[in-house]
Amino acid sequence: MPDTATSSRTSGCPVAHGPLSSERTPTGCPVSQRAAGFDPFEDGYQQDPPEYVRWAREQEPIFYSPKLGYWVLTRYEDIKAVFRDNITFSPSIALEKITPTGEEANAVLASYGFALNRTLVNEDEPAHMPRRRALMDPFTPEALKHHEPMVRELAREYVDRFIDDGRADLVDQMLWEIPLTVALHFLGVPEEDMDTLRKYSIAHTVNTWGRPKPEEQVAVAHAVGNFWQYAGKVLAKMRQDPDAPGWMQYGIRKQMQHPDVVTDSYLHSMMMAGIVAAHETTANATANAVKLLLQHPQVWRELCEDPGLIPNAVEECLRHNGSVAAWRRMVTKDTQVGGVDLPAGSRLLIVTSSANHDEGHFSDADLFDIRRDNASDHLTFGYGSHQCMGKNLARMEMQIFLEEFTRRLPHMRLSEQRFTYVPNTSFRGPEHLWVEWDPAANPERRNPGLRDVRVPVRIGEPSVHSIARPVVVQAVTPVAEGVVRLRLVSPDGKPLPRWTAGSHIDVECGTPELSRQYSLCGDPDDAGAFEIAVLHEPEGRGGSAWVHANVKPGDRLRIRGPRNHFRLDESLEKAIFIAGGIGITPVSAMARRAKALGMDYELHYSGRSRRSMAFVDELAALHGERLHLHVADEGRRNDLQALLTQPVPGAQVYACGPLRMLQALEACCAAWPEGALRVEHFESTLATLDPSKEQAFEVELKDSGLVLTVPPDQTLLTALRAANVDVQSDCEEGLCGSCEVRVLSGKVDHRDVVLTRVERDANTKMMACCSRACEGRLVLEL
Ligand code: HEM
Ligand code: FES
């Protein structure tokens, strides 16, 4: 790479800045040339934001942009850390104008009485969370179901209008107007003035997130002022009929009960911001999705053949090419993110579209893979306490549009065109999307019934069943006593997604309910196949027994992944790898990678007997003296104590094996720095809850008449889902309030940051994703 680290060591800053410009950040750190050149209003950013900041993601993940006056964040973990803490990182600037306007434009706005203020997305605590919770009910899956027939009907009618033309601009002829109509219905706005609104909402985007030229600013200000006044008038009309359906009317009714929570200023501001939040985001997201899918004809064909893939394809489109490219936060107290000092008052541009392409979180991140099993980890909807409330409405619309196109226009392709975008930091979608097809080949000319086929949509995140990836077993090879290696290839012979050492896949063992995780143990550079090794465990839960009894070459299996929770830090000076028994699988891939990188490493592998240990010869050939075998029946046990007494500076220990071995390791590494020991448990849930510290508890579900036991290694949410009780969730770590359940009796051990002290003491609700019972049984209204 041409830009290599030059400044970090000289400035004392932990970040590698690349060649330097003469400018400095507010902390005095020198600004690299690329950071100085960063301009999100340039075409490069508009065309492909994650590509535009690739250099930063890879070399200078947090940098100061003098042109924007913002710190720019590009990596997944840093951005998620910012979203997680909405006190240190206030959302108050989310709707602030990114380019301050001149006096003339400000005067125009003032002449309309423009006073857009806090809604939800830019509201601080403690005001935000009570308001969010008060307004949440219209977003439950039950409530959203009522909108489905309307979206479907609209999609059908709009396609009818152009299906015989052979050519359409999907943005102008469909994708702009339907989400607008749906947004207006959802909010409860009478369906009028659509064209005017369309103009207004673009002006609002440019006013907030764009850089209008001085001569444009006044026209934009007039449109925004008109939009503001229009919103006020509509709200006044709604107040006369507060029982009408609509989220705004719901807010008006809530205001009667809680005037301090749902304020007048909120309602007027949301009337305007809500249209944009619900409309442009979804219109752009669908246009981006269709464009991306048609740019990958093979994927498009698969989707046309199997519409069951649509829910996860929607998530992957939102990840790969979402409609919100970046979001904003303001630092409220001096802090650090990713080792970089951020002083109080710093403004942050968090480039979520870049986080969505971070190899540290998404393996083979640039690959467009509609079977990616963690696609819905994308940050396009934000994350945590402000995560998009309308995401399931947006998902529903996108699914219906894709279902309509794949069924009625499977032969559609992109026309030759250059895509243009409204220059701004955040809202992103092509202004036009020309597609073409041969109308004579329209499937419904042969089969008119096709027009009215109805595939049920899935409200919420995709089910795991839609994510499964088919593979074919190419070989089954015994590699040790009770251990077979499976070599899995893609059914069409195409390469499989790239993976990194430490990754695992989930294999469905006969039924989707019996799914087991196996680490990949082959060569990460071999894109032709995934290899796993499965130990027959007669006392296990049946997965390995099924593999050993049933799997043979030529069989088709369904898998999910790969994903990696056990990553090798490739910048290490030294790695010590420790494997016990079948724990060799991820460790062997890591050791292979360490060798390829030229890293200093040693590999310790222990087992009962040589016969029971997989890959011994291969490992010996590859690693020579770096391999240390500890074979119990040869009298050579692994003396972890002796191996690890002294911390080795700059080294990390990576271990996988039986629980007893991992516990012993933790004790041996007590003197090592925090984080130096990385372990992979065979069961991933153990990593989040420490079962040695948790207690099982019982929950009685009053409405469903069920009594469940929540074991120490499971959350209440997981136990409820396992019992087929649907509870919404977003963050699954106590931040967002989505998984609230009502408590009728029993004492709750609250572990969230959503409930106030008073609410905790009242003991009438809890967050199912993290909170537990103090003792005994909880009775829940479920
Ligand atoms: C918040 C994106 C559709 C309503 C947000 C945020 C983002 C976002 C990035 C800020 C999250 C944060 O700060 O953590 C999107 C995208 C959409 C979409 C990409 C479509 C693909 C919708 C729809 C609605 C909606 C259809 C309403 C019907 C909201 C609301 C919030 C929000 C009310 C504020 C939540 C809070 O601050 O508590 N959205 N949105 N959005 N969105 Fe969406
Ligand atoms: Fe977010 Fe539980 S608080 S899912």
Side-chain angles (χ1 to χ4, degrees):
M1 304 246 169
D3 285 350
T4 47
T6 51
S7 74
S8 57
R9 268 122 227 131
T10 49
S11 69
C13 172
V15 173
H17 291 291
L20 305 178
S21 77
S22 54
E23 296 183 84
R24 288 186 173 266
T25 72
T27 52
C29 227
V31 171
S32 70
Q33 268 173 14
R34 296 195 93 153
F38 173 79
D39 181 352
F41 306 106
E42 262 178 13
D43 197 48
Y45 178 92
Q46 301 305 322
Q47 293 291 338
D48 191 347
E51 189 54 36
Y52 184 76
V53 293
R54 178 186 296 280
W55 63 274
R57 203 160 56 244
E58 290 175 355
Q59 300 162 36
E60 196 185 342
I62 299 180
F63 65 90
Y64 181 74
S65 158
K67 275 194 191 159
L68 206 59
Y70 274 64
W71 292 85
V72 182
L73 277 66
T74 56
R75 276 195 188 159
Y76 190 89
E77 280 312 322
D78 294 339
I79 291 181
K80 210 159 172 181
V82 167
F83 273 132
R84 263 196 194 110
D85 180 354
N86 64 337
I87 307 295
T88 310
F89 305 101
S90 156
S92 56
I93 60 167
L95 301 182
E96 198 175 81
K97 283 181 222 168
I98 204 157
T99 307
T101 38
E103 272 175 31
E104 198 185 341
N106 290 342
V108 169
L109 282 173
S111 73
Y112 287 92
F114 179 73
L116 184 77
N117 203 334
R118 304 290 181 108
T119 55
L120 280 165
V121 80
N122 59 348
E123 182 62 282
D124 280 311
E125 303 305 341
H128 163 260
M129 193 45 86
R131 191 179 296 156
R132 176 176 166 103
R133 290 171 58 214
L135 299 171
M136 203 138 119
D137 272 359
F139 291 100
T140 59
E142 271 310 304
L144 291 179
K145 263 192 207 138
H146 300 300
H147 300 279
E148 184 188 334
M150 175 194 52
V151 180
R152 203 176 279 284
E153 202 41 50
L154 285 168
R156 201 159 295 180
E157 275 172 22
Y158 274 71
V159 173
D160 282 348
R161 293 182 193 173
F162 55 68
I163 191 162
D164 290 319
D165 297 351
R167 186 172 144 77
D169 174 356
L170 292 183
V171 173
D172 269 0
Q173 293 176 247
M174 175 169 173
L175 297 181
W176 195 264
E177 286 187 8
I178 299 182
L180 179 54
T181 313
V182 176
L184 295 172
H185 274 282
F186 179 79
L187 295 170
V189 175
E191 205 178 302
E192 55 196 25
D193 295 333
M194 234 191 226
D195 274 347
T196 328
L197 259 179
R198 175 179 175 160
K199 223 172 46 221
Y200 290 164
S201 61
I202 294 190
H204 176 58
T205 302
V206 175
N207 185 48
T208 312
W209 293 280
R211 184 181 284 171
K213 297 195 188 79
E215 62 275 20
E216 288 166 357
Q217 286 183 8
V218 171
V220 169
H222 279 292
V224 172
N226 275 313
F227 192 178
W228 176 252
Q229 292 200 340
Y230 171 84
K233 282 192 202 124
V234 175
L235 190 62
K237 241 191 267 175
M238 288 172 162
R239 284 192 190 279
Q240 289 163 12
D241 184 13
D243 291 327
W247 189 47
M248 294 309 298
Q249 287 86 343
Y250 185 83
I252 290 168
R253 296 198 294 278
K254 283 279 166 186
Q255 185 180 43
M256 296 172 193
Q257 297 160 13
H258 309 287
D260 50 331
V261 173
V262 183
T263 58
D264 280 345
S265 160
Y266 158 76
L267 284 171
H268 193 164
S269 300
M270 186 49 108
M271 191 63 245
M272 178 168 164
I275 296 174
V276 180
H279 165 216
E280 284 191 38
T281 49
T282 315
N284 282 332
T286 316
N288 287 335
V290 174
K291 169 172 172 276
L292 187 62
L293 283 161
L294 295 182
Q295 282 169 332
H296 294 81
Q298 152 96 12
V299 180
W300 174 253
R301 261 195 308 279
E302 280 183 66
L303 212 55
C304 295
E305 280 160 21
D306 181 1
L309 295 168
I310 289 176
N312 205 51
V314 164
E315 292 312 303
E316 178 65 351
C317 290
L318 286 166
R319 181 195 75 86
H320 199 281
N321 194 14
S323 54
V324 172
W327 210 241
R328 285 182 284 167
R329 289 288 191 261
M330 159 102 112
V331 178
T332 57
K333 59 174 191 249
D334 289 359
T335 188
Q336 264 204 350
V337 178
V340 175
D341 289 324
L342 297 174
S346 301
R347 288 170 143 65
L348 310 183
L349 183 74
I350 44 184
V351 189
T352 43
S353 52
S354 167
N356 290 344
H357 281 250
D358 186 340
E359 286 282 337
H361 190 84
F362 298 101
S363 46
D364 211 353
D366 294 331
L367 179 75
F368 177 49
D369 175 10
I370 57 171
R371 294 191 173 86
R372 185 183 292 279
D373 78 332
N374 64 347
S376 50
D377 285 0
H378 66 75
L379 298 179
T380 305
F381 289 128
Y383 181 76
S385 52
H386 287 270
Q387 197 189 40
C388 179
M389 288 167 80
K391 63 182 190 172
N392 289 337
L393 179 59
R395 282 172 166 149
M396 180 212 285
E397 290 185 55
M398 293 176 73
Q399 282 182 41
I400 291 176
F401 295 145
L402 291 188
E403 195 240 302
E404 195 71 10
F405 291 142
T406 49
R407 185 166 41 84
R408 301 183 68 190
L409 289 168
H411 49 322
M412 174 163 94
R413 55 185 182 272
L414 276 183
S415 309
E416 271 298 307
Q417 65 205 294
R418 179 173 161 72
F419 296 104
T420 56
Y421 298 84
V422 176
N424 78 99
T425 54
S426 299
F427 283 35
R428 192 177 165 278
E431 289 180 287
H432 302 281
L433 179 63
W434 281 102
V435 293
E436 58 199 27
W437 63 93
D438 174 8
N442 288 354
E444 63 201 60
R445 292 206 179 172
R446 273 170 287 124
N447 176 5
L450 211 61
R451 178 185 177 273
D452 299 311
V453 170
R454 189 179 177 283
V455 178
V457 290
R458 176 165 180 96
I459 302 181
E461 277 186 26
S463 82
V464 290
H465 303 280
S466 74
I467 301 175
R469 187 190 302 283
V471 286
V472 172
V473 180
Q474 193 185 53
V476 182
T477 321
V479 285
E481 208 171 64
V483 182
V484 287
R485 171 167 49 197
L486 307 188
R487 188 173 161 84
L488 310 171
V489 295
S490 93
D492 56 10
K494 295 244 161 55
L496 288 163
R498 279 190 302 119
W499 56 280
T500 45
S503 298
H504 68 264
I505 56 172
D506 285 30
V507 178
E508 283 184 11
C509 299
T511 66
E513 287 68 38
L514 189 60
S515 167
R516 291 287 168 265
Q517 294 183 350
Y518 296 103
S519 297
L520 293 176
C521 59
D523 180 354
D525 287 333
D526 173 9
F530 292 148
E531 289 187 356
I532 56 173
V534 181
L535 168 68
H536 186 201
E537 291 174 285
E539 306 298 312
R541 285 174 293 163
S544 69
W546 182 86
V547 170
H548 277 258
N550 296 289
V551 177
K552 49 187 191 316
D555 283 356
R556 264 185 182 242
L557 294 182
R558 286 160 53 92
I559 65 165
R560 282 188 295 283
R563 0 176 38 164
N564 199 345
H565 301 306
F566 189 43
R567 280 174 189 278
L568 175 66
D569 176 352
E570 301 199 340
S571 64
L572 280 182
E573 284 169 31
K574 174 159 186 167
I576 301 174
F577 299 112
I578 300 182
I582 196 64
I584 190 63
T585 47
V587 170
S588 67
M590 285 179 152
R592 184 192 289 267
R593 178 69 186 153
K595 181 179 163 79
L597 290 168
M599 190 188 281
D600 184 11
Y601 68 97
E602 46 193 84
L603 169 57
H604 297 265
Y605 179 17
S606 44
R608 267 182 297 111
S609 66
R610 219 169 257 266
R611 286 193 319 280
S612 70
M613 295 167 70
F615 311 133
V616 170
D617 295 341
E618 270 175 64
L619 293 168
L622 195 62
H623 301 292
E625 291 187 349
R626 292 184 185 271
L627 174 69
H628 305 268
L629 288 177
H630 309 277
V631 187
D633 72 357
E634 294 174 11
R636 276 182 291 136
R637 286 182 183 276
N638 194 356
D639 185 352
L640 297 173
Q641 193 67 47
L643 180 67
L644 300 167
T645 324
Q646 283 299 325
V648 180
Q652 271 185 1
V653 180
Y654 291 84
C656 183
L659 192 59
R660 220 157 7 105
M661 180 190 102
L662 299 180
Q663 282 167 345
L665 262 175
E666 257 163 51
C668 299
C669 287
W672 285 62
E674 181 82 23
L677 170 65
R678 308 283 173 99
V679 299
E680 169 87 322
H681 290 275
F682 291 138
E683 288 296 329
S684 67
T685 46
L686 295 176
T688 47
L689 275 176
D690 182 348
S692 64
K693 300 203 178 104
E694 304 294 351
Q695 290 199 351
F697 61 97
E698 271 191 355
V699 282
E700 180 183 334
L701 311 183
K702 204 78 195 161
D703 298 345
S704 5
L706 289 174
V707 177
L708 309 174
T709 302
V710 184
D713 63 348
Q714 250 185 29
T715 62
L716 170 60
L717 186 67
T718 320
L720 290 171
R721 288 200 174 142
N724 258 336
V725 179
D726 251 350
V727 177
Q728 278 214 86
S729 75
D730 285 334
C731 69
E732 302 197 0
E733 51 177 324
L735 300 173
C736 74
S738 317
C739 63
E740 179 177 310
V741 293
R742 287 188 61 76
V743 180
L744 299 173
S745 69
K747 183 102 190 72
V748 181
D749 172 9
H750 291 287
R751 300 184 183 182
D752 61 277
V753 295
V754 174
L755 297 177
T756 60
R757 185 164 297 282
V758 178
E759 285 174 319
R760 286 172 178 226
D761 293 346
N763 209 47
T764 54
K765 39 193 129 174
M766 71 187 287
M767 297 301 145
C769 69
C770 58
S771 299
R772 305 179 72 82
C774 285
E775 70 231 358
R777 177 184 279 207
L778 296 177
V779 183
L780 306 178
E781 195 184 83
L782 275 176

